[in-house]
Structures are given as C-alpha cells and as structure tokens.
Amino acid sequence: RLSLTGVEPFAKKYTAVVCGPRYRWWLCPPATSSSATEFRRNIESCFLYAAQNRGVELAVTPHVDDGMARGAWRNSLRFNPSSHGARLHRHSHSYHLSYNDALLFPIAAALGHVLSMTTSLLNSSSVLPIEIGQPEVPARLLVWLGMQGEMSATVFAHPHAWRQTMHELRRMNFLKDPHSSQSDSDAGLRFKLGISTNFNKLCGCVPYDESDPVKYLDRFPKRWPRYAPRFNIPEVQRLYEEVDFIGVTTYSSAAPNFHTREIAKAMEEFEKEASIMGLKLKDLLRNRCTPIHFTEFGVGGG
C-alpha cells in the first residue's frame, strides 16, 4: 500500500510512505530507493507469473491512499507525480521519493523487463521458455499501464507533469532487451500508456456533497465556472490526445440486477462532465480511435 501524507489542495509537496493493510500513518516509513528497488523486484515476479500463466495481456492501474487516514478519497488527491517531498531529516540533503520514483517507475520498469524478454523472439518462435519445467511467456505480450487509477484531481491539477511523466516513460531504456540486437520499437508498440480517472467528479474541486451522480451532474454546469480559472484545460486536452488509451472507473449507480449495458451510463456521464469543462473526448474517439478501458466496474465505493 503506497500512501501520501501531507497532500493538500494543489500542494507542491507530499510524502510517499509505505504502509501495511492495518496502519497508523505516523508509523509508516517513508518510501526510499531501497524500498522502491525491492518493490520493483517483487512486483516483477508477479507480472512474470501472470504473463506465464494467464495469457497475453497485462493491465495495471496503480492506486494510492490518503496516508493521513482522514478518509480522503484518492480521486480528490491533488499531487504532482514528479515532485519530491520534504527532507527525510532536518539536516539531510536526502528527499522523500516522488510518486513516480516510489511507485510508477518501478512498476513500469518491471513491466518493461518482462516485455523485453519477448522482443528478440518475435521472428523466431511464438513463446519464450523462461526456465525448464516452467510455463512460457507469450512472445506477443501486450502491456497496458494506466499512470494512475481512479485519481482524477491530480490529472486535472497537474496535466503538464503527467505529460512529462508519459514522455519520460516512453524514453526509458527498459523497453530495450540488452541481450538482443533487435530494435526495441516493437516492444515500445506493445507498451501502452494511459490515464485512468473516475467517471465523474473529475476536477476534484467541487465539494463532494452530492452522492447521486445524476444530481451532481445536473448541478455541475453552474458550479464549474467558479473553479475553471484554476485549470489549464487545453493542457489536459493535449494529455488526452497523447495517451494510448483512456481508463475510466465505472462505479455508477445501478440496480442489483443490473445489465452490462448500464456500465455505458457511466461513460455518458464522464463524457458530459468533460465536455462541460471544455474537453473534446468525442473527437478523440472518432478521429484518433483512442480506446476506452473500463479499469474498474461493478458495485463499490461509499
């Protein structure tokens, strides 16, 4: 569990801490380079197992929690993914890790390493034996990485930082197999980056005093002009135009015997709220064929 402490509206600093399932935030140790390395090593073994045993695609959406145990919804956490937190000690020059360094980049590196294992065999065989007696990794492994999961406020508060993060991920050399003379372009094409937000309450700026998504959306057009000057919507639009896919968490209202088509209602609400804010998502779907992923769905939340 990665949690963020000290996250306030439009905060420039925060602290990434590593907590157990039952935690008291003041006892959680800060994320460090060694914990990030250990996390990468452990999560890579999980990805490898999934690739060997479960098919030809891996999809990951990282989540963080409110590390202050205040019950804040992750969708409302406004943090810059690349900003480093406060110093570990008053007289130290060492800083807490950023979200990218503590969570996202280790995940991406682990996925990239598993993906690079398949690159050199694309023209020679359909599978890659990892070890005698072990399952095999599909040579056409496809990876979908949402840079965050159900975290809208950070996307809308820091779209430029998320664009920079995306470009940095695409430049990283973990997509190249060091043991292969083959180009890493195919691996890059099979490594998809996206953003994953909630289906509503995207800006994280409007008070969450309305639990009914329909009533919330009815009131949003009158509320948005008050908050609009805080946001760089053209930059958010550029971010949406540059990602490989758009992820949406769809815990919308539904009857107990709901039909799968009701999931589409959440997408309609997502598009309507985005259009009120000035985003042209329908153009992305029509002109760029950007795929939509329902990264979470079902009955959940509060």
Side-chain angles (χ1 to χ4, degrees), residues 1-4 16-19 23 39 43 47 59-67 72-77 79 98-100 102-104 107 145-152 154 162 195-199 247-251 293-297 301:
R1 176 191 297 270
L2 185 85
S3 301
L4 302 181
V17 295
V18 182
C19 299
Y23 67 94
F39 171 64
I43 200 71
F47 294 152
V60 183
T61 51
H63 285 51
V64 298
D65 290 324
D66 166 28
W73 183 23
R74 68 175 58 90
N75 192 56
S76 64
L77 298 179
F79 63 92
S98 66
Y99 166 88
N100 286 347
L103 186 67
L104 183 58
I107 289 175
L145 174 60
M147 293 186 289
Q148 73 295 113
E150 198 185 65
M151 292 188 283
S152 309
T154 176
W162 285 108
I195 50 176
S196 182
T197 68
N198 196 52
F199 75 97
V248 183
T249 296
T250 55
Y251 290 126
H293 285 207
F294 294 118
T295 50
E296 299 179 59
F297 63 90

Side-chain angles (χ1 to χ4, degrees), residues 211-230:
S211 59
D212 186 310
V214 176
K215 292 181 180 178
Y216 165 83
L217 195 56
D218 288 341
R219 299 171 63 185
F220 185 71
K222 293 182 179 180
R223 289 174 144 183
W224 170 243
R226 175 184 173 185
Y227 300 99
R230 300 180 183 180

Side-chain angles (χ1 to χ4, degrees), residues 175-194:
L175 292 180
K176 185 174 179 63
D177 183 353
H179 303 294
S180 172
S181 59
Q182 197 169 347
S183 170
D184 64 339
S185 60
D186 187 83
L189 291 174
R190 292 183 289 121
F191 192 99
K192 306 295 184 181
L193 290 171

